[in-house]
Amino acid sequence: MLHLRLITPAEKTDDVVRLIERTVGTTHLVVMPGVARNPAGDVVTCDVAREAGDELLTELQGLGLDRTGSIAVENIDLSLSKRADKAEAEAPGEGADAVLWEHLADATHEESTLSATYLAFITLATMIAACGVVLDNAVLIVGAMAVGPEFGPLAGISTSIVQRAPRLALRSLIALLVGFAAAMVVTVGFSLFMDALDLFSKDQLEADRPQTGFVYAPDAFSFIVAVLAGAAGTLSLTSAKSGALVGVAISVTTVPAAANAAVALSYGDTEQTWGSTEQLLLNLLGIILAGTVTLLLQKWAWRKRT
């Protein structure tokens, strides 16, 4: 279930309470008149079944509460209450299938913002992957995939398409393009530095690499895996099962492909550079396509069910 904490102007409190009372799937309604100071007003709290949460949040925004007061939402990990059980049973659909669009937009907004932390993670991931491709070490490749933060902007682009949010799309696209560009530039310098220390060499890059050669050899399976991973990642976001994102992160060849392209570029190997770039773009396209289609299907299925 979800716990809502609302600050409402006194003149809107009755409307808010009536809205909550007529929403199927709500319980534990509490009204505290005049206790809020900034902004001034009443505090209203309630619990709502996840499957009824999106509709209630939309109607609360329709009352202008997000502008004149406050709407805070928290996940309830444990609720020992027969009333809560009854509310969940009465709410249409299943909580695991419900999509909280405001929560999704907020999460993707945070994950798709170009920040120093985002740049640090994607750069470090690309440098780790560079070591993996040169050493032909699959463990390093998997580690780099897990560190890479690129799924956030990819999910942001898919969400922006479905929700028709151009600002989110632009923010996500900037984070994705600038992030990969910066990471690859730094990795080129890193590769040259490692070569000067005799830790990297062109012979290592161009040798037979059975563990990591796939990163510059895109094929049909590259796109298929990217599509499947994109769908799984999107489902993990909408159902709040964040653990599944780790599996998604180590399923797609985005960061390793960018790393291989950067190392190959530092040695002037155009064949591997273009092959890795093609692999990267193919994976990005597959994830965005799958994420968008998954969200559209979830939206359609939920509307039909409720």
Side-chain angles (χ1 to χ4, degrees):
M1 295 194 76
L2 304 173
H3 178 69
L4 271 61
R5 187 185 72 251
L6 314 173
I7 297 178
T8 74
E11 65 273 15
K12 290 189 177 182
T13 300
D14 288 342
D15 292 334
V16 170
V17 170
R18 280 194 293 269
L19 171 60
I20 294 173
E21 288 178 334
R22 72 168 183 262
T23 300
V24 177
T26 60
T27 187
H28 303 153
L29 175 61
V30 177
V31 180
M32 293 172 278
V35 299
R37 291 293 179 264
N38 184 21
D42 305 331
V43 173
V44 178
T45 67
C46 70
D47 296 340
V48 57
R50 181 181 175 87
E51 51 269 42
D54 188 65
E55 180 182 355
L56 179 57
L57 289 174
T58 300
E59 295 198 42
L60 287 171
Q61 288 177 294
L63 292 174
L65 211 59
D66 54 327
R67 299 186 300 275
T68 60
S70 170
I71 303 173
V73 184
E74 299 173 352
N75 279 308
I76 299 177
D77 295 327
L78 177 63
S79 179
L80 302 178
S81 166
K82 289 185 177 181
R83 288 182 177 272
D85 294 340
K86 181 181 178 183
E88 287 187 313
E90 291 175 346
E94 294 293 333
D97 297 334
V99 179
L100 296 176
W101 293 102
E102 288 298 327
H103 177 269
L104 180 62
D106 184 68
T108 51
H109 174 277
E110 182 179 349
E111 295 295 327
S112 62
T113 300
L114 185 64
S115 63
T117 301
Y118 173 84
L119 287 173
F121 269 116
I122 197 167
T123 301
L124 290 171
T126 307
M127 293 166 69
I128 293 171
C131 295
V133 297
V134 172
L135 299 175
D136 193 34
N137 188 316
V139 174
L140 291 176
I141 292 294
V142 171
M145 289 175 170
V147 172
E150 72 280 7
F151 190 80
L154 292 169
I157 293 174
S158 295
T159 303
S160 67
I161 293 173
V162 175
Q163 293 294 88
R164 299 178 182 179
R167 290 186 179 180
L168 177 59
L170 181 60
R171 183 185 299 110
S172 301
L173 189 60
I174 289 174
L176 193 66
L177 297 180
V178 174
F180 270 115
M184 292 173 73
V185 168
V186 173
T187 303
V188 169
F190 175 71
S191 177
L192 294 173
F193 174 73
M194 295 293 280
D195 181 78
L197 296 178
D198 291 328
L199 296 175
F200 281 10
S201 70
K202 189 174 183 179
D203 290 339
Q204 287 176 296
L205 180 71
E206 296 182 346
D208 184 31
R209 289 188 281 145
Q211 298 295 320
T212 61
F214 66 93
V215 299
Y216 62 90
D219 54 22
F221 279 104
S222 301
F223 185 74
I224 292 172
V225 171
V227 168
L228 296 175
T234 303
L235 285 172
S236 73
L237 284 178
T238 57
S239 63
K241 295 185 180 297
S242 58
L245 279 177
V246 178
V248 172
I250 61 177
S251 299
V252 288
T253 321
T254 48
V255 167
N260 198 83
V263 175
L265 183 62
S266 71
Y267 286 116
D269 188 333
T270 56
E271 182 179 353
Q272 285 202 38
T273 299
W274 285 114
S276 300
T277 302
E278 186 180 347
Q279 177 80 274
L280 173 63
L281 295 176
L282 199 62
N283 277 268
L284 295 179
L285 177 62
I287 293 173
I288 292 172
L289 178 63
T292 303
V293 172
T294 300
L295 288 175
L296 287 171
L297 287 174
Q298 285 183 290
K299 199 170 188 177
W300 171 81
W302 186 254
R303 284 181 176 177
K304 188 175 181 179
R305 178 175 297 180
T306 56

